[in-house]
């Protein structure tokens, strides 16, 4: 079983749609959680940290369920510029290393 | 305020040559991480360094790969006697890192643009 699992997609959605990504992680000792986005052949860029109480940043909302070891990302009012691969990321190893999911590809279309 | 810098951005080596990848962390960051992304795969942790110390190298291949972060200068990832399977994007990240009691935000890692290594 992979340490961090995501649906690879692709998710093809029209502009303005709401889309949700899910992620599960296997290590119950994981400490911190993040969503990164990666554009084709570029570096991953931090989108947002995920807090236990859930958190929102503009059109983006992240949720964490420690009991189920489940993380989600909701994107409202999708823009063309949101097209990218979204990486679910978990901090493990005593805070030393990030473990990445393989990513969910999002394509926002006109 | 410059971000994480990596060079070269693209590196071509023939089988058996050495590859040296350099990373300068963000200003104020003292912790460096190296990750590798093979074609069509996710990023995999390789090594975590602080100045003059390797803290966690659990993701490093046992042979041919080494990393350092000297007191002065950038962090270096060195690959000796490269093989075709080493072709990948190598990303460096840095973080400020504070004691474990810190909030999640203190563990955020910021990535450089990567070095794309091609072994011919």
């Amino acid at each position: 079983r992979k340490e961090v699992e995501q649906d690879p997609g692709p998710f093809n959605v029209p502009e303005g749609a709401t889309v949700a990504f899910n992620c599960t992680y296997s290590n119950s000792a994981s400490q911190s959680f993040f969503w990164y986005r990666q554009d084709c052949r570029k570096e991953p860029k931090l989108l947002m940290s995920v807090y236990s109480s859930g958190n929102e940043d503009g059109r983006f909302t992240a949720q964490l369920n420690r009991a189920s070891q489940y993380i989600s990302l909701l994107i409202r009012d999708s823009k063309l510029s949101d097209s990218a691969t979204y990486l679910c990321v978990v901090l493990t190893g005593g805070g030393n290393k990030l473990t990445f999911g393989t990513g969910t590809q999002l394509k926002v279309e006109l | 305020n410059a971000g994480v810098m990596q060079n070269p951005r693209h590196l071509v080596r023939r089988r058996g040559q050495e590859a040296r990848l350099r990373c300068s962390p963000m200003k104020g960051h003292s912790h460096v991480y190296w990750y590798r992304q093979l074609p069509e795969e996710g990023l995999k942790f390789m090594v975590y360094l602080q100045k003059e110390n390797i803290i966690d190298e659990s993701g490093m291949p046992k042979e041919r790969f080494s990393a350092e972060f000297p007191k002065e200068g950038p962090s270096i990832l060195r690959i000796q006697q490269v093989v075709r399977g080493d072709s990948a994007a190598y990303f460096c990240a840095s973080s400020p890192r504070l004691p474990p009691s810190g909030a999640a935000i203190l563990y955020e890692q910021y990535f450089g643009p990567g070095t794309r290594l091609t072994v011919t």
Side-chain angles (χ1 to χ4, degrees), chain B residues 21-98:
Chain B
L21 288 59
R22 289 176 289 277
C23 168
S24 297
M26 285 179 72
K27 188 176 179 181
H29 288 191
S30 56
H31 302 262
V32 166
Y33 312 79
W34 285 94
Y35 294 82
R36 177 166 66 173
Q37 187 170 32
L38 293 168
E40 307 304 322
E41 292 190 17
L43 280 88
K44 302 287 186 201
F45 168 81
M46 298 181 76
V47 62
Y48 161 42
L49 309 106
Q50 296 175 25
K51 285 282 186 182
E52 299 184 281
N53 283 304
I54 297 174
I55 308 302
D56 180 351
E57 56 182 345
S58 58
M60 288 277 270
K62 293 288 184 279
E63 298 176 349
R64 302 187 297 106
F65 284 72
S66 63
E68 62 177 7
F69 189 14
K71 189 175 179 181
E72 302 291 338
S75 175
I76 306 284
L77 179 68
R78 182 181 176 208
I79 312 172
Q80 295 178 288
Q81 299 176 316
V82 296
V83 300
R84 288 218 172 100
D86 296 333
S87 296
Y90 291 82
F91 291 101
C92 169
S94 73
S95 72
R97 179 83 179 182
L98 289 179

Side-chain angles (χ1 to χ4, degrees), chain B residues 98-111:
Chain B
L98 289 179
S101 58
I105 193 170
L106 301 173
Y107 294 87
E108 290 171 355
Q109 295 181 17
Y110 297 88
F111 284 78

Side-chain angles (χ1 to χ4, degrees), chain A residues 21-39:
Chain A
F21 303 139
N22 303 320
C23 167
T24 57
Y25 61 95
S26 60
N27 187 344
S28 59
S30 299
Q31 304 157 287
S32 302
F33 309 89
F34 310 90
W35 285 99
Y36 280 73
R37 68 171 278 169
Q38 186 174 28
D39 294 277

Side-chain angles (χ1 to χ4, degrees), chain A residues 1 3 15 20 23 25 30 35-36 41 46 56 59 65 72-73 88-89 106 108:
Chain A
R1 184 185 171 188
E3 288 188 69
E15 209 175 6
C23 167
Y25 61 95
S30 299
W35 285 99
Y36 280 73
R41 300 181 68 78
L46 179 65
E56 186 174 308
R59 297 182 294 108
N65 184 324
S72 67
L73 177 68
C88 177
V89 185
L106 171 66
V108 181

Side-chain angles (χ1 to χ4, degrees), chain A residues 40 91 108:
Chain A
C40 187
L91 188 71
V108 181

